[in-house]
Amino acid sequence: MSAEPEEFYVGYEPRMPAATRRFVGRVVLGLLAAAAVLAWAVPALHRPYALARSDFRDVREFEGVLVAEPVPHLVVARPGETGARAFSRYVLVGRGKSGPKLDLEALAGKPVRLKGSLIYRDGQTLLAVKGAEPMEQPIDAAALAGGESLGRFTLRGEIVDSKCFLGTMRPGHSKVHRGCAVRCIAGGVPPALLVRDVEGRDLVLLLVAPDGSAVNERVLDYVADPVEIEGEVVRLDDLLVLKADPAALRRI
Amino acid sequence: MSVSYKAVQWNRQKLVYDAVLLAALGTYLVGFHQLAPRLDPNVEPMNLRMRAFGSAAFLLLHVVLSIGPLCRIDRRFLPLLYNRRHMGVVLCGLALYHADLALTWYHAYGNLEPVVSLFVSNPAVGSVARFPFEWLGAGALAILVLMAATSHDFWLANLTAPTWKALHMGVYAAYALLVGHVALGALQTNTHPGLTAGVVLGALWILGVHLVAAHRERAADTPATAGADGWVEVCAVGEIPEDRARVVFAGGERIAVFRYDGRLSALSAVCQHQNGPLGEGRIVDGLVTCPWHGFQYRPDCGAAPEPFTEKLPTFDLALRQGRVWVNPRPHPPGTPVEPLPVPGAPGGEAA
Ligand code: HEM
Ligand code: FES
């Protein structure tokens, strides 16, 4: 071992001996190559982001009838459409992680001009409200109709906050998003049950109590977990609502 | 070798070191931000940044944790260890930015302070699948910040080496917490097996290099058999090369016997700076020099030259029939011991 011509190099010496320099150079190149490969591999192995958007900088005006039940929403007539497609219903949420800041008592059931931005995913749309003022305009009574029951179902899915899932956050559901969804639902954003239909499409059903009241505080502990719940599915034009007792929620 | 309270000392090697570190990080972070939108046109920029910085910090932690054992396995890795402290500080910065993004994105603009929200929105500690993985990240972050804040040799001197070392062993706790943070968080949403395999391989690598390094050290640490008087045989005089040492493990301690100028001296082989392997050091300018960061000690008394204050335990040596023997009972650190002349060596006769 005494013949071993090993180099002795301490980091502060300005010149690295040749063999050490070659070795360290190879290690550095290896690290740079690993950084490049991982920069590709790590994002490539993540779940794809959803096609969903929040145009929160693009505040526009919308006109329609404000309805408070089962969740605050704006009913907008679709020009030239009748029957099941006569109205679009935009669920209303606030800015940030909150429900809409509106004087619902004063405005519910009335025509309003509302300022807000769009949040949308797969043909479903939400409005993040900045403000609303009443308008003088006749109301189409059909806008206030109660919806059509599609029957009772036992559904499996995940409780999400409608605002994030429909476009504010990506990912807007599952474990990494859980804390955010809890904060949003606690802040008044309507909770929804996300279920996969037989064709593998995502369906979003707004979740309310059987009497139509909000269940936000009662579902917080189940957010983002796989759950099963039984209830009545009601169609309100292009909204689906699940009226169910949160006490019947079961983790699966 | 600084134990005085100088500000960070810069030299060309540290600048090169940091340049390489930043180049590797830049490659990862810029690459991540450029490639991800090409792989998936729907990427969410804030979330992307959160993931890029979190994963950069986690990957860098693998490098930080590998360097120590790799240096024990192959000394040529030592230049990577020399300035490892900067890696730790950079890692801490990446982690802080990741945590800040996560806190703002997922917890701000709600009805609670973000930090409060972080700790109350999910209290499901009793469940693996629902576990609040963010808490594990926060625990790791606290350790990383504490370590980065105390990484300067100022703290090493003021906290005393054993406390400082115990504190910095916390990096392993941080790593364990982060494996949990990722496994119970990101991997539950991103279920691609490749991602899980990556985390598992990373953990196996860390475990592997530590086991290999420990195995080598244990092999070197086979206790020498003591003679009747308690002294321990080291080797034949001729087996110690000039300006280098032979190490024996005796009395529960590693003892380095150095040969220089035709003389022999025995010191504890554990560097007072960060437990570096002094027995692998050399005599440079008449001083025992640690291979890790270059701390130096006088061979005949174990004390660092003025103005430094580190002191190593010293040991008595004897020659018996051409072989070197050491008494494993240490003298108090810094005690001068008359060097043992090597018979026939020029300096030895003079001494
Ligand atoms: C208060 C402290 C922390 C919080 C609140 C936090 C939060 C989060 C969140 C919410 C995610 C999921 C992001 C997503 O996919 O949408 C995440 C992922 C991650 N975090 Fe943290 N984190 C913290 C500390 C740390 C630290 C200290 C590190 C590493 C040093 C770290 C490394 C990671 C990694 C590697 C991921 C996975 C990234 C990916 O999916 O590629 N985190 N963290
Ligand atoms: S000089 Fe740092 S461990 Fe010896």
Side-chain angles (χ1 to χ4, degrees):
Chain A
M1 92 165 254
S2 50
E4 183 186 326
E6 209 186 307
E7 293 171 342
F8 185 71
Y9 171 72
V10 177
Y12 56 68
E13 293 168 31
R15 288 215 53 82
M16 226 183 259
T20 305
R21 175 186 293 272
R22 268 197 308 279
F23 181 78
V24 171
R26 277 201 298 272
V27 172
V28 167
L29 282 183
L31 284 175
L32 288 172
V37 170
L38 287 166
W40 163 79
V42 173
L45 294 174
H46 275 75
R47 176 200 280 247
Y49 287 88
L51 179 55
R53 288 288 177 271
S54 166
D55 298 337
F56 66 100
R57 287 203 183 82
D58 183 12
V59 176
R60 302 190 207 168
E61 288 197 339
F62 302 86
E63 291 178 3
V65 179
L66 196 139
V67 177
E69 300 273 312
V71 301
H73 64 278
L74 187 74
V75 188
V76 180
R78 302 174 106 171
E81 300 271 11
T82 53
R85 295 178 49 83
F87 298 104
S88 286
R89 291 178 187 260
Y90 299 154
V91 171
L92 302 180
V93 292
R95 318 289 287 177
K97 297 179 176 39
S98 67
K101 304 250 173 344
L102 291 173
D103 184 353
L104 286 175
E105 264 178 44
L107 294 173
K110 304 221 169 90
V112 295
R113 177 175 296 119
L114 186 146
K115 274 213 264 194
S117 60
L118 288 170
I119 296 166
Y120 47 95
R121 171 176 188 150
D122 290 344
Q124 286 195 303
T125 308
L126 249 69
L127 281 178
V129 182
K130 268 202 125 170
E133 55 191 45
M135 286 194 309
E136 287 304 322
Q137 207 179 62
I139 306 182
D140 182 342
L144 303 174
E148 158 205 7
S149 174
L150 302 182
R152 296 194 73 83
F153 298 88
T154 298
L155 297 173
R156 287 182 166 202
E158 174 190 338
I159 296 177
V160 296
D161 70 294
S162 49
K163 180 176 183 185
C164 283
F165 182 74
L166 291 180
T168 304
M169 294 282 175
R170 281 168 298 130
H173 69 115
S174 80
K175 184 72 183 276
V176 291
H177 181 261
R178 179 194 186 115
C180 177
V182 167
R183 196 66 15 248
C184 282
I185 294 174
V189 173
L193 188 71
L194 167 65
V195 297
R196 195 97 338 134
D197 75 4
V198 283
E199 284 157 34
R201 279 174 314 198
D202 287 340
L203 278 187
V204 178
L205 300 97
L206 296 163
L207 195 56
V208 296
D211 66 359
S213 61
V215 291
N216 294 42
E217 292 300 327
R218 296 169 64 195
V219 301
L220 290 181
D221 192 37
Y222 292 90
V223 169
D225 297 336
V227 290
E228 183 179 273
I229 187 169
E230 196 264 345
E232 180 191 10
V233 177
V234 175
R235 182 201 291 285
L236 262 176
D237 297 311
D238 52 3
L239 288 187
L240 286 175
V241 179
L242 175 62
K243 293 185 164 179
D245 182 356
L249 272 169
R250 207 170 61 76
R251 257 183 218 105
I252 47 175
Chain B
M1 339 135 256
S2 156
V3 290
S4 54
Y5 317 131
K6 285 177 205 134
V8 180
Q9 296 176 344
W10 285 97
N11 56 34
R12 183 174 157 274
Q13 302 308 66
K14 287 191 182 176
L15 291 176
V16 172
Y17 191 104
D18 289 355
V20 168
L21 174 59
L22 293 182
L25 267 181
T27 304
Y28 183 75
L29 291 173
V30 174
F32 199 110
H33 282 86
Q34 292 298 317
L35 292 170
R38 291 181 173 76
L39 295 163
D40 179 351
N42 294 326
V43 289
E44 208 305 308
M46 268 286 262
N47 185 263
L48 190 71
R49 209 179 311 159
M50 189 192 314
R51 289 175 173 176
F53 279 82
S55 56
F58 188 54
L59 289 167
L60 189 58
L61 186 56
H62 285 77
V63 178
V64 168
L65 289 177
S66 304
I67 292 177
L70 285 177
C71 288
R72 288 170 208 263
I73 294 167
D74 187 331
R75 304 247 324 254
R76 289 177 298 171
F77 282 104
L78 275 173
L80 298 180
L81 180 127
Y82 173 60
N83 206 16
R84 183 167 49 163
R85 187 169 80 79
H86 286 200
M87 243 184 225
V89 173
V90 168
L91 195 168
C92 183
L94 296 169
L96 275 171
Y97 187 53
H98 160 78
D100 183 56
L101 288 172
L103 211 57
T104 311
W105 196 232
Y106 285 144
H107 295 273
Y109 315 112
N111 56 359
L112 289 179
E113 279 298 314
V115 179
V116 177
S117 171
L118 182 68
F119 289 102
V120 301
S121 41
N122 176 15
V125 284
S127 154
V128 172
R130 306 167 62 220
F131 195 90
F133 70 98
E134 296 94 336
W135 297 6
L136 302 175
L141 188 63
I143 296 175
L144 293 174
V145 168
L146 198 65
M147 285 180 40
T150 60
S151 63
H152 193 266
D153 278 350
F154 170 84
W155 287 101
L156 180 54
N158 279 276
L159 293 172
T160 72
T163 316
W164 190 88
K165 277 160 207 161
L167 182 68
H168 282 244
M169 289 306 276
V171 71
Y172 291 101
Y175 176 67
L177 289 170
L178 286 172
V179 170
H181 176 63
V182 174
L184 301 179
L187 294 187
Q188 309 239 328
T189 289
N190 303 286
T191 49
H192 194 293
L195 222 45
T196 308
V199 174
V200 171
L201 281 178
L204 288 178
W205 160 264
I206 296 290
L207 194 69
V209 287
H210 280 83
L211 286 180
V212 171
H215 178 75
R216 296 209 170 186
E217 262 178 15
R218 234 195 341 272
D221 277 354
T222 30
T225 35
D229 55 357
W231 286 56
V232 165
E233 187 182 334
V234 182
C235 58
V237 185
E239 286 179 51
I240 309 181
E242 183 69 9
D243 289 339
R244 294 179 62 175
R246 277 295 291 262
V247 178
V248 274
F249 188 70
E253 227 180 320
R254 269 176 232 150
I255 303 168
V257 181
F258 277 93
R259 174 176 179 162
Y260 58 103
D261 295 340
R263 290 173 293 171
L264 298 171
S265 286
L267 304 169
S268 157
V270 180
C271 180
Q272 289 291 295
H273 179 223
Q274 288 184 14
N275 293 352
L278 263 189
E280 294 171 21
R282 303 281 167 94
I283 302 284
V284 177
D285 302 331
L287 298 168
V288 170
T289 305
C290 177
W292 277 16
H293 312 90
F295 270 49
Q296 292 186 312
Y297 306 87
R298 283 189 220 287
D300 55 355
C301 67
E306 293 285 314
F308 304 106
T309 52
E310 287 79 11
K311 290 186 175 62
L312 297 168
T314 49
F315 299 86
D316 288 330
L317 289 174
L319 269 182
R320 298 175 184 171
Q321 285 110 42
R323 300 189 70 81
V324 184
W325 288 71
V326 66
N327 182 352
R329 284 188 44 197
H331 292 293
T335 309
V337 172
E338 188 60 33
L340 187 69
V342 176
E349 273 154 2

